[in-house]
């Protein structure tokens, strides 16, 4: 049974060798951007969660008694997280500035009105600086054969 499957895979690979694309791992800088992007997304969700908790507590202050500790503590934590988010964004910008290829791609992406740093980093991180899309474009003419 395995021989039949292996020969089918080999036949398929031989048939489409002209459009085969080797896997290209993320470059070091793209990988760093992706990690920072994911960390920033986590921090943003934490701010949202803390803000909801703070607002709920603030709304029911009179009914629950003295809950200023929760509100004050949440406010401090939110400020700290927002400062860390800014640091993540600065680090992303530094990584982009030190890599000419990323700098060029970033400039092209952000030239579109409404595209922010975070949008551009997401595009770069999830498309391996558009290398995945380039590979797909080479395959498009062969779809349906």
């Amino acid at each position: 049974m395995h021989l039949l499957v292996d020969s089918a895979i080999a036949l398929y690979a031989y048939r489409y060798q002209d459009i085969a694309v080797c896997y290209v791992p993320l470059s070091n800088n793209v990988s760093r951007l992706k990690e920072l992007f994911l960390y920033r997304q986590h921090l943003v969700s934490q701010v949202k969660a803390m803000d909801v908790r703070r607002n709920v507590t603030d709304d029911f202050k009179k009914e629950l008694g003295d809950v200023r500790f929760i509100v004050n503590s949440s406010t401090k934590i939110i400020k700290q997280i927002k400062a860390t988010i800014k640091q993540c964004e600065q680090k992303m910008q530094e990584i982009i500035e030190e890599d000419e290829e990323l700098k060029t791609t970033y400039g092209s992406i952000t030239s579109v009105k409404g595209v922010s740093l975070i949008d551009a980093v997401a595009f770069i991180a999830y498309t391996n600086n558009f290398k995945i899309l380039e590979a797909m474009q080479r395959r498009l003419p062969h779809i349906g054969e």
Side-chain angles (χ1 to χ4, degrees):
M1 184 68 170
H2 293 290
L3 185 59
L4 184 59
V5 172
D6 290 345
S7 64
I9 292 171
L11 182 62
Y12 182 86
Y14 179 76
R15 182 175 177 197
Y16 295 106
Q17 65 186 335
D18 58 327
I19 60 169
V21 178
C22 293
Y23 170 74
V24 179
L26 295 177
S27 71
N28 186 38
N29 286 335
V30 172
S31 183
R32 290 169 59 201
L33 278 178
K34 189 172 185 177
E35 287 303 315
L36 283 168
F37 173 78
L38 292 173
Y39 181 59
R40 183 192 177 279
Q41 292 302 99
H42 176 72
L43 292 173
V44 167
S45 67
Q46 291 299 313
V47 167
K48 289 177 186 176
M50 292 295 293
D51 200 33
V52 167
R53 177 67 183 141
R54 181 184 64 180
N55 290 336
V56 167
T57 305
D58 203 27
D59 290 344
F60 294 106
K61 235 185 239 184
K62 295 172 187 165
E63 294 175 24
L64 296 174
D66 189 15
V67 291
R68 286 192 181 167
F69 167 76
I70 294 171
V71 173
N72 292 339
S73 176
S74 297
T75 303
K76 281 184 193 176
I77 293 169
I78 289 171
K79 284 180 184 176
Q80 289 172 340
I81 294 173
K82 284 184 176 181
T84 305
I85 289 171
K86 289 287 183 203
Q87 290 174 341
C88 281
E89 292 171 359
Q90 290 169 351
K91 191 67 179 161
M92 288 175 188
Q93 198 70 46
E94 289 172 16
I95 292 169
I96 290 168
E97 291 298 319
E98 70 187 32
D99 187 312
E100 282 302 315
E101 187 179 356
L102 289 178
K103 191 175 180 179
T104 303
T105 304
Y106 175 76
S108 297
I109 296 170
T110 55
S111 68
V112 176
K113 187 176 180 180
V115 176
S116 68
L117 166 71
I118 303 309
D119 297 329
V121 168
F123 282 127
I124 291 169
Y126 286 107
T127 64
N128 193 8
N129 201 17
F130 289 91
K131 288 178 178 58
I132 292 172
L133 294 180
E134 290 169 4
M136 288 175 63
Q137 284 178 339
R138 280 183 263 158
R139 292 182 184 172
L140 283 177
H142 302 284
I143 291 177
E145 287 184 357

